[in-house]
PDB file of all heavy atoms in Angstrom:
ATOM      1  N   LEU A 208     -16.038  35.649 -27.333  1.00 32.00           N
ATOM      2  CA  LEU A 208     -17.110  35.131 -26.491  1.00 32.00           C
ATOM      3  C   LEU A 208     -17.110  33.615 -26.505  1.00 32.00           C
ATOM      4  O   LEU A 208     -17.249  32.962 -25.485  1.00 32.00           O
ATOM      5  CB  LEU A 208     -18.460  35.683 -26.970  1.00 32.00           C
ATOM      6  CG  LEU A 208     -19.702  35.165 -26.227  1.00 32.00           C
ATOM      7  CD1 LEU A 208     -19.626  35.567 -24.760  1.00 32.00           C
ATOM      8  CD2 LEU A 208     -20.975  35.705 -26.883  1.00 32.00           C
ATOM      9  N   LYS A 233     -14.374   7.811   1.498  1.00 87.00           N
ATOM     10  CA  LYS A 233     -14.686   8.183   2.870  1.00 87.00           C
ATOM     11  C   LYS A 233     -13.635   9.151   3.414  1.00 87.00           C
ATOM     12  O   LYS A 233     -12.470   9.080   3.047  1.00 87.00           O
ATOM     13  CB  LYS A 233     -14.747   6.937   3.755  1.00 87.00           C
ATOM     14  CG  LYS A 233     -15.889   5.997   3.426  1.00 87.00           C
ATOM     15  CD  LYS A 233     -15.884   4.800   4.362  1.00 87.00           C
ATOM     16  CE  LYS A 233     -17.038   3.854   4.047  1.00 87.00           C
ATOM     17  NZ  LYS A 233     -17.031   2.662   4.922  1.00 87.00           N
ATOM     18  N   PHE A 290       5.370  -5.941  19.595  1.00 90.00           N
ATOM     19  CA  PHE A 290       4.351  -5.110  18.960  1.00 90.00           C
ATOM     20  C   PHE A 290       4.977  -4.217  17.898  1.00 90.00           C
ATOM     21  O   PHE A 290       4.436  -4.061  16.797  1.00 90.00           O
ATOM     22  CB  PHE A 290       3.642  -4.267  20.024  1.00 90.00           C
ATOM     23  CG  PHE A 290       2.595  -3.345  19.477  1.00 90.00           C
ATOM     24  CD1 PHE A 290       1.393  -3.843  19.000  1.00 90.00           C
ATOM     25  CD2 PHE A 290       2.810  -1.970  19.437  1.00 90.00           C
ATOM     26  CE1 PHE A 290       0.416  -2.988  18.491  1.00 90.00           C
ATOM     27  CE2 PHE A 290       1.855  -1.115  18.934  1.00 90.00           C
ATOM     28  CZ  PHE A 290       0.647  -1.625  18.466  1.00 90.00           C
ATOM     29  N   GLY A 296       6.518  -4.993  10.406  1.00 81.00           N
ATOM     30  CA  GLY A 296       6.431  -6.135   9.502  1.00 81.00           C
ATOM     31  C   GLY A 296       7.682  -6.985   9.391  1.00 81.00           C
ATOM     32  O   GLY A 296       7.954  -7.535   8.323  1.00 81.00           O
ATOM     33  N   GLY A 298      10.362 -10.011  11.473  1.00 72.00           N
ATOM     34  CA  GLY A 298      10.483 -10.986  12.537  1.00 72.00           C
ATOM     35  C   GLY A 298      11.506 -10.563  13.567  1.00 72.00           C
ATOM     36  O   GLY A 298      12.370  -9.730  13.301  1.00 72.00           O
ATOM     37  N   ASP A 331      10.611   2.784  20.928  1.00 89.00           N
ATOM     38  CA  ASP A 331      10.432   1.857  22.038  1.00 89.00           C
ATOM     39  C   ASP A 331      10.891   2.588  23.291  1.00 89.00           C
ATOM     40  O   ASP A 331      12.092   2.851  23.465  1.00 89.00           O
ATOM     41  CB  ASP A 331      11.274   0.596  21.791  1.00 89.00           C
ATOM     42  CG  ASP A 331      10.895  -0.533  22.737  1.00 89.00           C
ATOM     43  OD1 ASP A 331      10.086  -0.297  23.656  1.00 89.00           O
ATOM     44  OD2 ASP A 331      11.416  -1.652  22.562  1.00 89.00           O
ATOM     45  N   GLN A 338      13.656   2.540  37.453  1.00 57.00           N
ATOM     46  CA  GLN A 338      14.492   3.389  38.301  1.00 57.00           C
ATOM     47  C   GLN A 338      14.958   4.650  37.574  1.00 57.00           C
ATOM     48  O   GLN A 338      15.001   5.733  38.142  1.00 57.00           O
ATOM     49  CB  GLN A 338      15.699   2.592  38.803  1.00 57.00           C
ATOM     50  CG  GLN A 338      16.532   3.350  39.829  1.00 57.00           C
ATOM     51  CD  GLN A 338      17.631   2.483  40.409  1.00 57.00           C
ATOM     52  OE1 GLN A 338      17.747   1.315  40.086  1.00 57.00           O
ATOM     53  NE2 GLN A 338      18.443   3.062  41.287  1.00 57.00           N
ATOM     54  N   PRO A 430     -11.214   4.444  28.142  1.00 85.00           N
ATOM     55  CA  PRO A 430     -10.855   4.694  26.738  1.00 85.00           C
ATOM     56  C   PRO A 430     -11.037   3.421  25.911  1.00 85.00           C
ATOM     57  O   PRO A 430     -11.263   2.338  26.470  1.00 85.00           O
ATOM     58  CB  PRO A 430      -9.372   5.056  26.839  1.00 85.00           C
ATOM     59  CG  PRO A 430      -8.881   4.226  27.985  1.00 85.00           C
ATOM     60  CD  PRO A 430     -10.018   4.166  28.962  1.00 85.00           C
ATOM     61  N   HIS A 457      -3.155  12.740  11.561  1.00 91.00           N
ATOM     62  CA  HIS A 457      -3.255  13.909  10.689  1.00 91.00           C
ATOM     63  C   HIS A 457      -3.316  13.455   9.240  1.00 91.00           C
ATOM     64  O   HIS A 457      -2.562  12.578   8.818  1.00 91.00           O
ATOM     65  CB  HIS A 457      -2.047  14.826  10.907  1.00 91.00           C
ATOM     66  CG  HIS A 457      -2.173  16.150  10.231  1.00 91.00           C
ATOM     67  ND1 HIS A 457      -1.968  16.323   8.871  1.00 91.00           N
ATOM     68  CD2 HIS A 457      -2.492  17.385  10.714  1.00 91.00           C
ATOM     69  CE1 HIS A 457      -2.152  17.586   8.554  1.00 91.00           C
ATOM     70  NE2 HIS A 457      -2.467  18.257   9.644  1.00 91.00           N
ATOM     71  N   HIS A 462      -1.333   8.788   4.322  1.00 94.00           N
ATOM     72  CA  HIS A 462      -0.931   7.985   3.162  1.00 94.00           C
ATOM     73  C   HIS A 462       0.239   7.065   3.497  1.00 94.00           C
ATOM     74  O   HIS A 462       0.169   5.848   3.294  1.00 94.00           O
ATOM     75  CB  HIS A 462      -0.566   8.900   1.999  1.00 94.00           C
ATOM     76  CG  HIS A 462      -0.042   8.188   0.795  1.00 94.00           C
ATOM     77  ND1 HIS A 462      -0.803   7.310   0.067  1.00 94.00           N
ATOM     78  CD2 HIS A 462       1.174   8.214   0.192  1.00 94.00           C
ATOM     79  CE1 HIS A 462      -0.087   6.831  -0.936  1.00 94.00           C
ATOM     80  NE2 HIS A 462       1.116   7.355  -0.883  1.00 94.00           N
ATOM     81  N   THR A 472      -4.580  -8.654   6.137  1.00 92.00           N
ATOM     82  CA  THR A 472      -5.889  -9.020   5.587  1.00 92.00           C
ATOM     83  C   THR A 472      -6.017  -8.459   4.177  1.00 92.00           C
ATOM     84  O   THR A 472      -5.273  -7.558   3.777  1.00 92.00           O
ATOM     85  CB  THR A 472      -7.049  -8.443   6.437  1.00 92.00           C
ATOM     86  OG1 THR A 472      -6.953  -7.010   6.441  1.00 92.00           O
ATOM     87  CG2 THR A 472      -7.012  -8.966   7.870  1.00 92.00           C
ATOM     88  N   ILE A 476      -4.687  -4.682   2.409  1.00 95.00           N
ATOM     89  CA  ILE A 476      -4.080  -4.555   1.075  1.00 95.00           C
ATOM     90  C   ILE A 476      -4.908  -3.602   0.214  1.00 95.00           C
ATOM     91  O   ILE A 476      -4.364  -2.752  -0.498  1.00 95.00           O
ATOM     92  CB  ILE A 476      -3.958  -5.930   0.414  1.00 95.00           C
ATOM     93  CG1 ILE A 476      -2.991  -6.817   1.210  1.00 95.00           C
ATOM     94  CG2 ILE A 476      -3.471  -5.803  -1.035  1.00 95.00           C
ATOM     95  CD1 ILE A 476      -2.968  -8.269   0.756  1.00 95.00           C
ATOM     96  N   VAL A 543      12.374 -20.443  -3.748  1.00 90.00           N
ATOM     97  CA  VAL A 543      11.762 -19.144  -3.996  1.00 90.00           C
ATOM     98  C   VAL A 543      11.027 -19.120  -5.328  1.00 90.00           C
ATOM     99  O   VAL A 543      10.019 -18.411  -5.493  1.00 90.00           O
ATOM    100  CB  VAL A 543      12.817 -18.020  -3.940  1.00 90.00           C
ATOM    101  CG1 VAL A 543      13.799 -18.113  -5.107  1.00 90.00           C
ATOM    102  CG2 VAL A 543      12.147 -16.643  -3.907  1.00 90.00           C
ATOM    103  N   PHE A 564      -0.044  -3.342 -21.880  1.00 52.00           N
ATOM    104  CA  PHE A 564      -0.577  -2.297 -21.029  1.00 52.00           C
ATOM    105  C   PHE A 564      -1.684  -1.528 -21.742  1.00 52.00           C
ATOM    106  O   PHE A 564      -2.705  -1.196 -21.162  1.00 52.00           O
ATOM    107  CB  PHE A 564       0.540  -1.327 -20.638  1.00 52.00           C
ATOM    108  CG  PHE A 564       1.527  -1.924 -19.677  1.00 52.00           C
ATOM    109  CD1 PHE A 564       2.769  -2.341 -20.101  1.00 52.00           C
ATOM    110  CD2 PHE A 564       1.206  -2.074 -18.338  1.00 52.00           C
ATOM    111  CE1 PHE A 564       3.679  -2.882 -19.210  1.00 52.00           C
ATOM    112  CE2 PHE A 564       2.110  -2.612 -17.443  1.00 52.00           C
ATOM    113  CZ  PHE A 564       3.360  -3.023 -17.875  1.00 52.00           C
ATOM    114  N   ILE A 588       2.303   6.949 -18.961  1.00 70.00           N
ATOM    115  CA  ILE A 588       3.004   6.497 -17.755  1.00 70.00           C
ATOM    116  C   ILE A 588       2.051   6.323 -16.573  1.00 70.00           C
ATOM    117  O   ILE A 588       2.212   5.411 -15.765  1.00 70.00           O
ATOM    118  CB  ILE A 588       4.150   7.480 -17.404  1.00 70.00           C
ATOM    119  CG1 ILE A 588       5.007   6.934 -16.279  1.00 70.00           C
ATOM    120  CG2 ILE A 588       3.618   8.864 -17.068  1.00 70.00           C
ATOM    121  CD1 ILE A 588       6.255   7.760 -16.029  1.00 70.00           C
TER     122      ILE A 588
END
Side-chain angles (χ1 to χ4, degrees):
L208 177 62
K233 294 181 179 178
F290 179 72
D331 193 353
Q338 187 174 358
H457 190 282
H462 176 64
T472 61
I476 296 171
V543 68
F564 289 104
I588 188 172

